[in-house]
Amino acid sequence: VAVSLIVAAACAIIFQNVPDDLAGLQNRAGCIFFTLTFFAFGSLTSIDLFISERSVFSREIQGSYYRVGTYFFAKAVLDGLLLRVLPAVIYSVVVYWSIGLRNTPSHTLVFFATLALFNLASGALSMVIAVVAYGRIC
């Protein structure tokens, strides 16, 4: 969350008061591209999540502490809310108005939802890669 806030402040400072011409459009597109790239690479933390906890997970499943579905549901919800949606919302609150995007509730909601869903999808894809590739990299 702190990293998202720092990067959001840097983007807000860099892209503040962008004019409403072709160059401004290109600058806003660059800011949005940087935002998506930042969150896509940030979602790679999910790969380490499953690889580092694999032995603990196996031991607890064999001990019948919980079922596999319960573990993955809890990990997905906590990872999704705390590491994906919350940073995306905080980032959006700081950046959206400072780069001069449309100031209507519908456009704001679309930007917030798109960024949060993109971040969730990136995190989910990273989880899938970690689960599928575990035997090949370890």
Side-chain angles (χ1 to χ4, degrees):
V1 175
V3 173
S4 294
L5 192 58
I6 292 168
V7 172
C11 281
I13 291 169
I14 292 170
F15 294 102
Q16 188 175 19
N17 298 325
V18 176
D20 289 333
D21 57 0
L22 181 61
L25 175 71
Q26 290 172 339
N27 285 335
R28 285 185 189 90
C31 181
I32 292 171
F33 176 77
F34 172 77
T35 298
L36 295 177
T37 305
F38 167 68
F39 282 114
F41 284 122
S43 71
L44 295 176
T45 59
S46 295
I47 292 176
D48 184 48
L49 177 76
F50 286 107
I51 292 174
S52 65
E53 294 182 0
R54 179 81 175 202
S55 62
V56 175
F57 168 71
S58 298
R59 186 177 50 237
E60 290 176 352
I61 290 298
Q62 290 173 354
S64 299
Y65 291 119
Y66 42 77
R67 293 180 291 187
V68 175
T70 307
Y71 172 80
F72 282 114
F73 178 74
K75 283 292 181 189
V77 168
L78 290 177
D79 182 71
L81 290 178
L82 295 178
L83 296 177
R84 307 292 165 234
V85 174
L86 184 62
V89 169
I90 290 171
Y91 183 93
S92 297
V93 166
V94 173
V95 168
Y96 186 81
W97 290 280
S98 66
I99 64 173
L101 296 176
R102 292 184 182 176
N103 197 12
T104 61
S106 61
H107 290 98
T108 306
L109 182 63
V110 166
F111 182 80
F112 279 42
T114 302
L115 190 56
L117 291 173
F118 174 81
N119 205 8
L120 281 171
S122 297
L125 185 60
S126 295
M127 286 182 195
V128 168
I129 291 169
V131 170
V132 170
Y134 175 75
R136 294 191 170 107
I137 60 175
C138 292

